[in-house]
Amino acid sequence: MASRPAASTVLSLLLLAAFAASARAATFTITNNCGSTVWPAATPVGGGTQLDPGKSWTVNVPAGTQSGRVWGRTGCSFNGGSGSCQTGDCGGALSCTLSGQPPMTLAEFTIGGSQDFYDISVIDGYNLPMLFSCSTGVTLNCGGSSCPDAYLFPADNTKTHACSGNSNYQVTFCP
């Protein structure tokens, strides 16, 4: 009888190991093509940074991340890790742990197991043109406050797109 619990434990460990091996991080490459500095922010992972024109920032987002957001902050002034931004400010922090204040163009995502979901939203206002793409999905383009690829109001539920799980993503400001 002792072999059954041991076999059950071994099987459970093998299943857990197989799931962990299939759950990988998605890589987000965030690029600033604007003519001025943008301070991108990402929650719940990534935080934030200063991104000069022509530069990129890479963030690894673990599988299982839900309700993630990336946005660009503008008109920022920081001294160390604190300061303020004219758009997208997140409580005066350089490295955001909470969402920013409107207006802000949002890249939203959920990183799942076999399938990810992503969209652009301007429900909270618009502050920067943005491209958002998944390596196995369509490219979303938002060049203004009423862009057709973005959620424009809360009941607008037709703009979420799917791609293969744990794909690579590209967010480009001022494409």
Side-chain angles (χ1 to χ4, degrees):
M1 292 291 200
S3 64
R4 280 201 179 171
S8 175
T9 301
V10 169
L11 180 60
S12 295
L13 289 174
L14 287 173
L15 288 172
L16 182 60
F19 176 75
S22 68
R24 344 176 243 114
T27 300
F28 280 69
T29 302
I30 302 160
T31 304
N32 177 13
N33 284 345
C34 300
S36 58
T37 300
V38 172
W39 286 263
T43 60
V45 296
T49 191
Q50 177 179 329
L51 200 57
D52 293 326
K55 301 294 182 182
S56 294
W57 177 44
T58 302
V59 177
N60 290 318
V61 178
T65 299
Q66 297 185 12
S67 303
R69 294 175 149 198
V70 174
W71 69 97
R73 297 172 289 172
T74 62
C76 299
S77 176
F78 288 100
N79 183 6
S82 63
S84 65
C85 298
Q86 292 175 356
T87 66
D89 188 71
C90 55
L94 173 61
S95 185
C96 298
T97 57
L98 51 97
S99 191
Q101 294 298 309
M104 59 187 175
T105 310
L106 290 173
E108 300 177 312
F109 58 89
T110 293
I111 306 302
S114 63
Q115 196 169 42
D116 296 345
F117 297 95
Y118 66 106
D119 67 76
I120 292 178
S121 173
V122 292
I123 293 172
D124 292 334
Y126 170 89
N127 70 330
L128 285 169
M130 176 190 290
L131 282 182
F132 186 23
S133 63
C134 168
S135 58
T136 61
V138 300
T139 298
L140 306 177
N141 184 0
C142 188
S145 61
S146 60
C147 57
D149 283 353
Y151 281 100
L152 303 175
F153 50 90
D156 182 7
N157 61 0
T158 62
K159 306 295 174 74
T160 299
H161 298 273
C163 62
S164 298
N166 303 306
S167 295
N168 294 321
Y169 291 84
Q170 178 74 41
V171 176
T172 304
F173 299 113
C174 304

